[in-house]
């Protein structure tokens, strides 16, 4: 498999606001407002953006291949099945609304969590990017920081 099996989080103003999968050297799979798609890494290597690169530890070659296959399969789905969960974001910002979700779409950290749960059963269903980062930080046997890119 060609995947690097690294997760990437980045922020613009404060906390970690987005999570992506670096599924191939120099390319990211991202769930953004225009849907789930592949973009070049250089689109995020800009002034004011900080990126934190994570590696998933302890996956077998078969699991790495399966992770890669899940990402690539989702990227190939029709546009209408790669949509952004705007309803879920509304539920996220409401203090009582985590149950508000679209059954037909995902936001960025939901999609990444859906891949991770296949191998790390303790990952929650609807985490925010900040919550995923905190889970990675508190589970150093499962995740390792590879480094940072800071766009000054």
């Amino acid at each position: 498999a060609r995947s690097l099996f690294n997760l990437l989080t980045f922020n613009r103003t404060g906390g970690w606001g987005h999570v992506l999968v670096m599924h191939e050297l120099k390319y990211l799979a991202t769930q953004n407002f225009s849907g789930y798609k592949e973009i070049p890494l250089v689109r995020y290597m800009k002034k004011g953006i900080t990126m934190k690169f994570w590696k998933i530890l302890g996956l077998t070659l078969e699991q790495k291949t399966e992770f890669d296959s899940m990402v690539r399969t989702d990227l190939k789905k029709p546009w209408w099945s790669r949509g952004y969960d705007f309803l879920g974001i509304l539920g996220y910002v409401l203090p009582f609304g985590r149950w508000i979700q679209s059954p037909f779409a995902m936001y960025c950290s939901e999609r990444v969590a859906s891949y991770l749960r296949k191998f790390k059963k303790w990952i929650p269903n609807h985490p925010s990017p900040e919550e995923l980062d905190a889970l990675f930080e508190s589970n150093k046997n499962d995740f390792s920081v590879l480094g940072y890119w800071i766009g000054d």
Side-chain angles (χ1 to χ4, degrees):
R2 296 179 293 163
S3 177
L4 298 179
F5 315 108
N6 298 327
L7 302 180
L8 169 118
T9 57
F10 78 94
N11 73 347
R12 291 178 197 244
T13 56
W16 299 109
H18 192 48
V19 61
L20 309 91
V21 176
M22 181 180 267
H23 69 105
E24 198 168 315
L25 187 62
K26 300 182 184 179
Y27 288 93
L28 306 167
T30 179
Q31 178 70 54
N32 59 28
F33 296 141
S34 60
Y36 193 56
K37 60 186 177 182
E38 179 182 83
I39 59 167
L41 174 63
V42 296
R43 287 195 40 203
Y44 285 103
M45 298 179 84
K46 297 179 180 178
K47 187 175 183 171
I49 294 180
T50 300
M51 295 184 284
K52 183 177 187 179
F53 294 87
W54 286 97
K55 180 169 183 62
I56 307 168
L57 301 175
L59 296 183
T60 65
L61 179 58
E62 292 79 21
Q63 290 172 322
K64 290 177 180 181
T65 301
E66 185 175 358
F67 189 98
D68 183 62
S69 178
M70 288 187 294
V71 171
R72 291 178 190 281
T73 297
D74 281 356
L75 286 168
K76 291 177 185 174
K77 287 182 178 176
W79 67 268
W80 45 266
S81 66
R82 293 181 283 122
Y84 192 81
D85 185 4
F86 292 99
L87 191 60
I89 291 297
L90 175 64
Y92 173 74
V93 298
L94 296 173
F96 55 86
R98 280 291 174 107
W99 57 271
I100 301 172
Q101 301 287 323
S102 168
F104 309 108
M106 294 185 199
Y107 50 83
C108 64
S109 49
E110 279 182 308
R111 187 166 303 270
V112 170
S114 74
Y115 300 146
L116 291 173
R117 265 193 314 283
K118 181 78 174 168
F119 313 106
K120 313 287 184 186
K121 305 295 185 202
W122 48 267
I123 298 288
N125 288 330
H126 308 289
S128 70
E130 284 189 4
E131 289 167 342
L132 271 183
D133 184 68
L135 284 171
F136 297 170
E137 286 286 354
S138 64
N139 289 279
K140 297 293 179 116
N141 290 332
D142 291 309
F143 302 96
S144 175
V145 175
L146 295 179
Y148 294 83
W149 187 88
I150 300 170
D152 289 335

